[in-house]
Amino acid sequence: MPSGHRRPRYVSILPGIDQSITVEPAPHTPLWMYYKMVLGGGKKTDGGGRYGSVGENGGLASDSQHHNGGSGLSNSRSGTSSSASSVVDDSDHCQMTHDVYQRQPLLPSHGSYITSNGVSKDGSGGFYDSSSSNGMVKIPIPPPHRDEPRFPKEKSKTFLAFLFLFANWIFTTVSLALTHEKVPKYPPLPDALLDNINVQEWGLDVSEIIIIVSVYLCVMVVLFHKHRWIIFRRIFLILGLLYFYRSITMYVTVLPVANPNYPCSPKANYTSPVLVAKRAIQLLSGFGLSINGQHTFCGDYIYSGHTVCLVSAYLIVREYTPRRWWLVHWCFGLLAITGVVMVLIARGHYTVDCLIAYFITTRLFYMYHTMANNATLKENGPNNFFERLWWYPIFQKFEANVHGVVPRHYEWPLPWPRRWSSKNPQRTS
C-alpha cells in the first residue's frame, strides 16, 4: 500500500452486545485480514479468549497474534479487553455468534415483571417459576365457559299435553260412534293380501295382547327415565295428533266391514247426543280394544289404531333407551311386526289401513323429534318450513325450555326406598 495512505478503521456491532468493537488496522497488514478480524474472532492463544468470545463483562477478546514467515507480528487493539488473532477460519464466525447468543439470558429476571403478590404488571396473571430448573413460565388458563342444556320438568305442560290426548281420544270415539251408522252393507273390498290368506279369528286377540304388553313395557321404560316428564309430554302430544287425524279420516271415508264375521252392534238408524255419549263411554271403558268385549262398533278402518300403538311403542323405546340395548329394540320391533300381521290375518283391518298408519306415525314422530333436537327449527324464519304446520305453535310452547337432546339417563322414580333413590352416576349411550 502506498506510503502516506491512511488505512480505514472498521467498526463492528455484534447482536446482543451493548458496545461496539473498533478494529484499527496495523501497518503492513493485508486488508482482507482486517475483514476477517471484524467478522470472526481470533484463534485461541495463550493470552486471549477462545474465538474472540465475549467476556463476562461484555468485552470482546481481541488480542491477536499474526505469524507470517516465521516472524511474529503482534498488535495492540484499543477499546478491547483481550487479544484476537488476525487470521481466523470461516467456521469460527458461526461459533463466535453462537457463543454470543448463548451468553444472553433467554428470559429476564422475574423480579422485573412480577409484583410481590405474584401477579404480572400487565395483569395477565402469568408468573415465572424461578424454583424450577428449566425456568418454566406458567400461564393460568381459565376453564372454558359451558352452557349446559337445561331440561326442566314443567309438569303443568305435561298435564296439558295429557288433556290434549284425552280430548282427541274422545273425538275418535265420537267419530266412531257416528261412523257406525254409516257403514255400508257391501262385501269386503278387494285386498291383495287378505284375499290370499285364510281368516284366523284368534289373530285379533293375539294382536291386542301384544299391544297391552308393548304399551306397559314402554310406560315402564319412560317411568324410569330421568326426564320422564318431557318424554310423557311428547308422547301425549304425538298420540293426540295421531288420534285427531284418525277421527277425521275414519269419518270422511267409510269402508265396508273387512271381516263379515266380526260382531258389530246393530244400527240405531238415528243419532242423538245421548246415543253418541253412551257409545263413547262404552268404547272408553274398554280402552278401544275388542278383547274387552266393549268394542262392538264397526267402521274405524282408515287408519289402523292397532298399528299406531305398536309402532309408537317401538319408536319410543328405540329413541329413549341406550344404543347398546339393541336386543330390546329388536324385540319391540318383532312385537310390532307380529301384532300388525295378527291384525291382518284376522281381517281386523285392510292392508292399506296398516300402511297409512305406519307412514303417518313414523313421519310425525320423526318430524317432531327433528324439530325438538335442533334449536334453529324452534324459531320462526323464512327457511323453516315446519312453522307452516298448524300444530307448530303448540310444539313451540311445549318445547320452548328444552335445550338440547334429551340424554338417556335413568333413575328410581319413587322417593322410597332412599337407598334406591340416591343419586348415582348416570349411564348413557
Side-chain angles (χ1 to χ4, degrees):
M1 183 175 293
S3 61
H5 182 76
R6 184 178 179 83
R7 291 176 178 267
R9 299 177 63 185
Y10 304 97
V11 179
S12 174
I13 301 178
L14 299 180
I17 303 179
D18 296 336
Q19 65 186 39
S20 62
I21 304 172
T22 304
V23 181
E24 188 171 344
H28 310 294
T29 303
L31 188 60
W32 62 271
M33 291 186 179
Y34 296 100
Y35 286 105
K36 299 187 72 174
M37 291 173 62
V38 173
L39 297 177
K43 294 183 179 179
K44 183 176 180 181
T45 61
D46 296 338
R50 185 172 182 264
Y51 299 113
S53 60
V54 179
E56 297 298 333
N57 58 354
L60 178 66
S62 60
D63 295 340
S64 63
Q65 292 182 356
H66 177 66
H67 305 279
N68 186 7
S71 62
L73 177 60
S74 176
N75 295 296
S76 174
R77 302 291 179 249
S78 61
T80 60
S81 59
S82 60
S83 62
S85 175
S86 61
V87 180
V88 295
D89 296 332
D90 292 341
S91 61
D92 294 344
H93 168 65
C94 182
Q95 181 64 34
M96 183 199 69
T97 306
H98 285 292
D99 290 345
V100 171
Y101 281 124
Q102 288 177 0
R103 292 176 179 271
Q104 305 305 313
L106 296 178
L107 292 174
S109 176
H110 68 277
S112 61
Y113 64 96
I114 299 297
T115 59
S116 59
N117 57 357
V119 181
S120 61
K121 292 182 180 180
D122 57 356
S124 61
F127 64 93
Y128 176 77
D129 188 5
S130 60
S131 62
S132 178
S133 60
N134 57 356
M136 182 182 297
V137 177
K138 298 182 180 180
I139 302 176
I141 300 177
H145 178 69
R146 298 179 180 177
D147 294 330
E148 296 295 337
R150 297 175 60 251
F151 302 101
K153 296 181 179 180
E154 297 181 303
K155 299 180 181 180
S156 59
K157 290 184 179 181
T158 304
F159 179 71
L160 292 176
F162 174 76
L163 293 180
F164 178 78
L165 170 61
F166 186 75
N168 286 284
W169 195 12
I170 293 178
F171 291 159
T172 302
T173 57
V174 171
S175 177
L176 178 56
L178 297 174
T179 302
H180 178 72
E181 296 294 329
K182 300 170 58 178
V183 176
K185 296 182 180 180
Y186 301 150
L189 296 177
D191 192 293
L193 179 62
L194 301 184
D195 293 344
N196 295 301
I197 60 176
N198 296 325
V199 180
Q200 305 294 333
E201 303 291 345
W202 51 267
L204 188 60
D205 294 341
V206 174
S207 176
E208 293 183 348
I209 292 174
I210 294 176
I211 290 175
I212 295 173
V213 173
S214 298
V215 171
Y216 281 172
L217 292 177
C218 180
V219 172
M220 293 298 296
V221 169
V222 178
L223 282 176
F224 280 89
H225 200 283
K226 181 179 180 180
H227 305 289
R228 63 187 69 91
W229 297 102
I230 298 177
I231 300 177
F232 273 128
R233 182 163 63 245
R234 293 177 175 180
I235 293 173
F236 294 155
L237 180 59
I238 293 174
L239 291 180
L241 292 173
L242 291 172
Y243 274 109
F244 176 75
Y245 289 143
R246 185 168 182 262
S247 66
I248 297 175
T249 55
M250 74 168 62
Y251 182 80
V252 296
T253 302
V254 183
L255 304 180
V257 179
N259 182 10
N261 299 324
Y262 187 81
C264 295
S265 298
K267 297 181 181 180
N269 296 325
Y270 74 95
T271 56
S272 65
V274 176
L275 177 65
V276 173
K278 287 182 179 180
R279 290 178 175 177
I281 293 174
Q282 179 179 345
L283 290 170
L284 291 175
S285 63
F287 295 97
L289 299 176
S290 59
I291 195 174
N292 298 321
Q294 302 298 327
H295 194 302
T296 59
F297 305 102
C298 299
D300 57 337
Y301 289 111
I302 298 179
Y303 44 88
S304 172
H306 292 72
T307 305
V308 168
C309 294
L310 292 169
V311 174
S312 297
Y314 164 73
L315 293 175
I316 293 168
V317 173
R318 179 69 175 80
E319 175 64 24
Y320 294 105
T321 54
R323 296 289 183 255
R324 61 180 179 273
W325 291 15
W326 58 270
L327 183 60
V328 177
H329 304 159
W330 276 95
C331 290
F332 270 84
L334 291 176
L335 286 176
I337 294 174
T338 304
V340 173
V341 171
M342 292 295 105
V343 170
L344 292 176
I345 66 175
R347 298 185 71 97
H349 278 281
Y350 291 101
T351 305
V352 66
D353 302 342
C354 298
L355 294 177
I356 295 175
Y358 169 80
F359 181 82
I360 295 179
T361 303
T362 54
R363 299 316 104 172
L364 185 59
F365 187 91
Y366 296 152
M367 288 169 56
Y368 189 98
H369 285 79
T370 298
M371 293 187 294
N373 295 340
N374 293 274
T376 56
L377 299 179
K378 296 181 182 180
E379 302 176 356
N380 297 325
N383 297 324
N384 184 10
F385 291 91
F386 288 114
E387 68 174 355
R388 302 182 183 182
L389 298 170
W390 68 267
W391 49 268
Y392 186 79
I394 303 176
F395 161 80
Q396 278 187 318
K397 182 66 176 178
F398 285 173
E399 299 289 338
N401 298 325
V402 180
H403 304 286
V405 181
V406 176
R408 299 176 180 88
H409 292 172
Y410 293 87
E411 65 179 7
W412 180 251
L414 301 176
W416 44 267
R418 294 186 180 274
R419 64 185 183 89
W420 287 4
S421 61
S422 61
K423 294 183 179 180
N424 296 322
Q426 302 292 344
R427 298 185 63 185
T428 183
S429 62

